[in-house]
Amino acid sequence: LDDQSYTYHGDDAGLAAWVAMFTSRSGDGGGDHEQAFLSALEFAAACKADGAFLDVGSGVGRIVGKVRSYARHVTGLEPDERRHAACQAGYANDPGVEILNTTTDRYRKACPRRRFDLITVSMVIQHVSAATCEQILRDVRHLLAPNGVAVISTTHFFEERFTYEADLSPHDFGEFNRYAEDTSVHDRGLPVRMFSKDALHREVEKAGLEAVVWEQFSYVRPENVGRIAALYNVAEDQVRDCALSQYVVARGPSRRSGALRRLADRFLIRGRAAGA
Ligand SMILES: C[S@@+](CC[C@H](N)C(=O)[O-])C[C@H]1O[C@@H](n2cnc3c(N)ncnc32)[C@H](O)[C@@H]1O
């Protein structure tokens, strides 16, 4: 399953300074800017306790660590070789966790029958091309067990825009996709697609998933509103009340809707045959 074709150029140390500019608004006192998302994640994991979990784009294992205690087994997929090695080393002594150096489409081809009760995709789809984003979400739908759920988190903005870490102004869609597809040189930092609420819902629905819960999280700390607004070249009001991340809890087609569709297909085929 080894995939040598993708390199992640993000800087985890640099990320700490960025996230320090954000906060939750949940009033939990913890100050974790991702609190709303992490709570939803934990809730979903508890509801799927003892199930098979899949984490797409595991990085160094942050999300695997958050859900591990609830799962019977966790599979993590990470295409970047170094991050995969780091993540795998962290779970080397846990027989209930496997971390694979691959992407969802290669995984599906290698293990066509595997299905998961909970699938997490945390902060992955904004750093890939539009085609890869579509592929990942389609794969998520196929990999969900009946009644399984996916928790997908990503960026959030009042409008959809295609940016780079080094330049957060809006850029051309085609240019962004070409940059995201070729990870050999990322001289503008990571590609960062800012999803609006509508854009995320559109992608989720296009993949055949149904969004059941949506929330924005990670608000700009009041003292940083001016700085963040300047970085995105927007009015302060556009970032003051608009969190810069969002998550959706989604489910695949239910058993019932699948059965109904198969039944409808059968009658349609018979009807067509009779009419022919
Ligand atoms: C910002 S990191 C997020 C890591 C982790 N999910 C978290 O929330 O801490 C994005 C990760 O997605 C991985 N990634 C990029 N393209 C991917 C793909 N097509 N399939 C799966 N993972 C991918 C990157 O290598 C990187 O480790």
Side-chain angles (χ1 to χ4, degrees):
L1 274 177
D2 273 6
D3 182 348
Q4 312 295 343
S5 61
Y6 176 85
T7 309
Y8 179 77
H9 294 279
D11 164 19
D12 286 348
L15 194 64
W18 174 257
V19 301
M21 293 203 277
F22 299 88
T23 182
S24 85
R25 275 192 191 173
S26 58
D28 60 358
D32 188 328
H33 70 114
E34 289 196 308
Q35 191 55 50
F37 161 63
L38 295 174
S39 301
L41 182 66
E42 194 144 353
F43 179 65
C47 291
K48 295 293 173 188
D50 210 30
F53 292 8
L54 174 70
D55 181 45
V56 176
S58 296
V60 293
R62 186 174 76 106
I63 300 299
V64 175
K66 300 269 182 222
V67 299
R68 172 63 190 110
S69 65
Y70 296 99
R72 172 167 37 86
H73 185 270
V74 185
T75 299
L77 309 182
E78 173 49 55
D80 177 88
E81 210 182 331
R82 283 197 9 232
R83 290 165 77 78
H84 164 259
C87 191
Q88 195 178 42
Y91 293 97
N93 297 322
D94 186 341
V97 176
E98 61 175 344
I99 307 293
L100 305 172
N101 182 209
T102 195
T103 53
T104 47
D105 54 335
R106 290 167 66 97
Y107 178 76
R108 270 182 67 198
K109 283 179 197 128
C111 307
R113 292 184 179 280
R114 287 289 298 273
R115 296 291 181 268
F116 297 90
D117 303 297
L118 176 69
I119 302 182
T120 47
V121 190
S122 163
M123 296 299 163
V124 175
I125 59 172
Q126 68 269 31
H127 297 312
V128 298
S129 68
T132 301
C133 170
E134 280 185 30
Q135 178 73 50
I136 290 174
L137 295 179
R138 243 190 341 261
D139 291 338
V140 165
R141 176 172 71 82
H142 283 284
L143 288 161
L144 275 179
N147 299 320
V149 295
V151 183
I152 301 158
S153 69
T154 188
T155 51
H156 178 243
F157 210 48
F158 67 93
E159 63 178 12
E160 185 179 30
R161 62 164 73 171
F162 297 85
T163 77
Y164 307 98
E165 260 182 319
D167 180 357
L168 298 172
S169 55
H171 288 270
D172 179 70
F173 175 68
E175 175 201 291
F176 174 92
N177 287 327
R178 285 189 294 280
Y179 182 89
E181 285 291 336
D182 179 5
T183 61
S184 58
V185 184
H186 269 177
D187 50 6
R188 281 176 273 174
L190 289 174
V192 188
R193 176 177 178 178
M194 299 302 294
F195 284 89
S196 63
K197 179 182 179 182
D198 282 354
L200 178 61
H201 280 78
R202 194 178 62 230
E203 294 299 331
V204 162
E205 280 157 26
K206 209 193 297 169
L209 293 162
E210 181 196 351
V212 288
V213 176
W214 175 88
E215 202 174 342
Q216 54 182 316
F217 66 96
S218 198
Y219 289 87
V220 181
R221 287 183 184 277
E223 67 273 25
N224 297 320
V225 165
R227 196 168 158 203
I228 296 288
L231 280 172
Y232 286 96
N233 196 17
V234 295
E236 293 192 5
D237 280 352
Q238 286 173 308
V239 294
R240 187 176 284 113
D241 293 310
C242 176
L244 260 68
S245 300
Q246 59 181 321
Y247 73 82
V248 69
V249 179
R251 61 178 181 180
S254 66
R255 260 187 205 154
R256 207 154 157 231
S257 68
L260 278 173
R261 207 179 28 245
R262 279 193 296 280
L263 205 66
D265 287 349
R266 243 177 55 201
F267 280 112
L268 266 175
I269 289 162
R270 275 196 198 149
R272 276 199 210 114

